[in-house]
Structures are given as C-alpha cells and as structure tokens.
Amino acid sequence: MPAQGKHRRSPSTSLRRGLAAVTAGGAVLALPVIGATSAFAAPAPAAAPQQAVAPASVSAQVNSAVQDAPAQHSVAAGETLSKIAREYSVSGGWEKLYEGNRKIVGENPDLIHPGIKLTLGTKAAKASPSTARGAEADRADRSERINAAPVAKAAPAAEKAVTYTNDLDGWIKESLAVMAEQGIPGTYEGIHRNIMRESSGNPAAINNWDSNAVKGTPSKGLLQVIDPTFQAYHVPGTSTDSYDPVANITAACNYAADRYGSIDNVFGAY
C-alpha cells in the first residue's frame, strides 16, 4: 500500500495593515483585511483506490481442468472387473475398465490375478475459491457488454412415461432399463437365450428335483435363481419376490456379472 503524502500548509499572504484614519471623532485604527488570495487551499481529496480487476487469464485457468494422476485399485482375491467397476462407478462398466487395463489383465477378462493394479481413470482438480471468484467477475463483465435482451427458452417438454408389455419381451426390456441405471452389463440376446434354456419363458417355473431342491433351496423363475442368490444380488427398486419376472432377471444378471462378467458369457448351468 503506498504511503500517504504529507501536505505542507501554504504560508498565508501578508496581511494588509490598516492605516490610522483621522476623523472628526478621533483617531480610528483600521482593522486588518485578509486578501482573497490569503485563504488556505483545501487539501485535494485522496484518489480512491482502484478496484482490482481479475486478469483475463483467470477464466482460462478455470476452463482448463488440471488432471490428477490416474486412480488405481489393487485387485484382491475373489474380485471381478464388474464388481470393481460398480464399486468405483466406472463410466462404461467393466468393459471400459477391461479396455483400459487389457495389457495387464490379459485376453481373459474373467481371470484377474490378485495383486495387479488396475487404472480406474482420472479426475479433474477443483478450482481454488479465488480462481472461481475471478471467473465469476469475468463472466459478469461479459454479461454487461451484451446489449441484446436474453431470449427466453422454451420450457422442456414433459418426458413421456415408458411402458412395457406384460410378456417376456416387456420383462426383458424393463430389466435392461434397470440394469442400465445400475451399471449391470447384459444384452437382450444374452438374457433371452438363457431364459429359454432355464425356464422356456415361464416365470413360475421351479426345479424340485436337483441338488439345490434337495437342500431346500429350489431354483425359481425365468432364470432359475435360488433364494440365497436372489437375496444376495437383489437389485434395489425391483420386487423382493423371486418369482417376479423383472426382479428375477435383474438379480440373475447381477449375479452373472459378478461371477462371469456378464449374462452374455453364460452358455450353460451357472
């Protein structure tokens, strides 16, 4: 901060001294008169401090995101690519995770060895508060230079609710929508192929003769899921009834993704 200047008081001009005037009543001493030029000049007001202006480069600093080093995950025993992708919410699911780590994983995405380190991706660093404030000032300055009135945007049209038919085609499509929201891999063809093998498309199918049935946990529903597996891999938002077609499909696909990478990779008993 610059030091305040010291103002020197201007010396007053010499006073005009009055002369004694003689009148009929006697001598009168004239009072001293201060000339107009003898008044003290008022000090000039100090210049107002200029407001700091954010440099133009601030906005560029905000717009260019600084990338952190890629995040990594050390594989533990029993983990799968799909499980790791869900845990870290990897965009693109296990396929994207495998694509970025193919060299270290190898040609079989279902076989990952404990101890290897997988690259999960990068994250953008947050801008500092001072930088963000500078960007806000820059945007405000630009908005003041725009003379045209803003054009009102039309309200977005209401999204049409999606409905599904109450048949095998509708159940598979609704399950795929839920799976997409949860990041569970799978295709229509892979699900349909396994349903036709397991239950022939009958949501009430039950197996009362195999080893699971002997243990008291018979396989049920479109994809023949036993109750312990259904409960362990049940997808939130779907029915808790293992015979429910959508709940049965999504739970089975969630299990298949965890064990085989995807229901598409299942071609027999699973």
Side-chain angles (χ1 to χ4, degrees), residues 81 98 102 105-112:
L81 290 179
Y98 175 57
R102 191 184 187 108
V105 173
E107 295 302 320
N108 186 359
D110 297 331
L111 181 62
I112 57 175

Side-chain angles (χ1 to χ4, degrees), residues 7 9 24 27 30 55 66 68 72 87 89 119 128 142 148 162 190 192 200-201 236 245 248 250 255 257 262:
H7 299 282
R9 186 173 179 182
V66 179
D68 289 337
Q72 290 187 331
E87 180 179 351
S89 300
T119 300
S128 63
R142 288 198 303 269
V162 180
H192 186 272
S200 298
N248 188 279
T250 52
Y255 164 75
S262 171

